[in-house]
Amino acid sequence: MVPGLKEHYLKSHPKLSPDLPQHSKARQTMAPRRARKRVEGTASSNVFSMFDQSQIQEFKEAFTIMDQNRDGFIDKEDLRDTFAALGRINVKNEELEAMVKEAPGPINFTVFLTMFGEKLKGTDPEETILHAFKVFDTEGKGFVKADFIKEKLMTQADRFSEEEVKQMFAAFPPDVCGNLDYRNLCYVITHGEEKD
């Protein structure tokens, strides 16, 4: 090799290390970065296309609230602090670990959005759920008797347990007459919030 040529080459290409042949180092740094961008870009574009801009903004706000330490990731301590803010103080460590393990890795916003996308993928459209309830609402009043729904949920198809029924009625309590407003319930199931 010509004296000084290697030093001149390395000065003009500072990213290359002198302990590896130049061509193999270039391949090692360039190819993985391109592949990584392609893989990450594909995942991101797919998950972001599942939601409209206002939904993404709502998820971003929820993520920001949950990311208590503001490091860009949701971890067990963030979940513990979020539960505490909601009034649930004694959350078991195992429960928090199970939640974090649902993610394929550290939970940044893209992973958070992907997880919600996967959870919502199997949800029927609002109109389908409404139609299922309307079968029981023969008078078209917009509500059904909570006791009737409880009985159907516990005896038909994918049966609910007593605890699951209690959780549902805790989240969507019947009115003083024992009626369940299924239109609002359907809206919350498909949109995640109550109608104004």
Side-chain angles (χ1 to χ4, degrees):
M1 183 175 235
V2 178
L5 182 62
K6 182 177 179 183
E7 289 76 22
H8 173 72
Y9 185 79
L10 290 174
K11 284 181 186 174
S12 62
H13 297 85
K15 290 185 179 181
L16 300 179
S17 169
D19 48 345
L20 287 176
Q22 287 80 6
H23 65 312
S24 67
K25 180 68 177 177
R27 256 188 252 127
Q28 287 176 353
T29 58
M30 298 297 280
R33 196 175 300 144
R34 280 193 301 253
R36 199 175 357 183
K37 283 182 183 175
R38 193 175 330 114
V39 170
E40 289 171 358
T42 304
S44 297
S45 64
N46 288 342
V47 71
F48 284 96
S49 66
M50 291 176 65
F51 304 104
D52 64 39
Q53 206 52 40
S54 66
Q55 289 173 312
I56 291 172
Q57 184 58 39
E58 288 175 17
F59 282 122
K60 185 66 176 171
E61 289 171 16
F63 180 85
T64 302
I65 291 168
M66 292 177 74
D67 182 16
Q68 297 280 311
N69 62 8
R70 304 290 185 251
D71 66 351
F73 295 91
I74 295 175
D75 57 22
K76 282 191 329 187
E77 289 309 311
D78 290 325
L79 290 174
R80 186 180 311 282
D81 293 343
T82 301
F83 274 116
L86 295 171
R88 187 168 167 214
I89 298 182
N90 298 324
V91 183
K92 293 180 181 171
N93 209 30
E94 297 80 30
E95 188 177 354
L96 297 172
E97 286 176 10
M99 289 180 192
V100 171
K101 285 181 182 175
E102 285 186 40
I107 305 171
N108 62 16
F109 180 64
T110 304
V111 172
F112 181 79
L113 197 60
T114 302
M115 291 172 71
F116 271 96
E118 289 170 357
K119 297 269 187 207
L120 295 174
K121 199 184 307 180
T123 305
D124 290 321
E126 183 178 5
E127 194 57 40
T128 302
I129 299 169
L130 268 173
H131 182 69
F133 276 104
K134 285 179 182 176
V135 168
F136 301 118
D137 182 15
T138 55
E139 298 176 21
K141 293 181 178 179
F143 59 83
V144 290
K145 289 289 184 190
D147 290 340
F148 177 75
I149 289 298
K150 177 181 177 179
E151 185 225 329
K152 292 299 177 197
L153 289 174
M154 294 181 73
T155 60
Q156 307 293 317
D158 292 331
R159 294 180 176 99
F160 275 45
S161 68
E162 185 74 35
E163 183 60 32
E164 289 170 323
V165 172
K166 283 180 185 175
Q167 288 175 356
M168 187 187 88
F169 287 142
F172 307 102
D175 65 16
V176 292
C177 298
N179 297 319
L180 181 67
D181 176 0
Y182 67 82
R183 289 180 184 154
N184 191 42
L185 172 63
C186 293
Y187 188 85
V188 172
I189 289 171
T190 55
H191 293 85
E193 60 188 36
E194 291 192 34
K195 287 184 183 180
D196 293 330

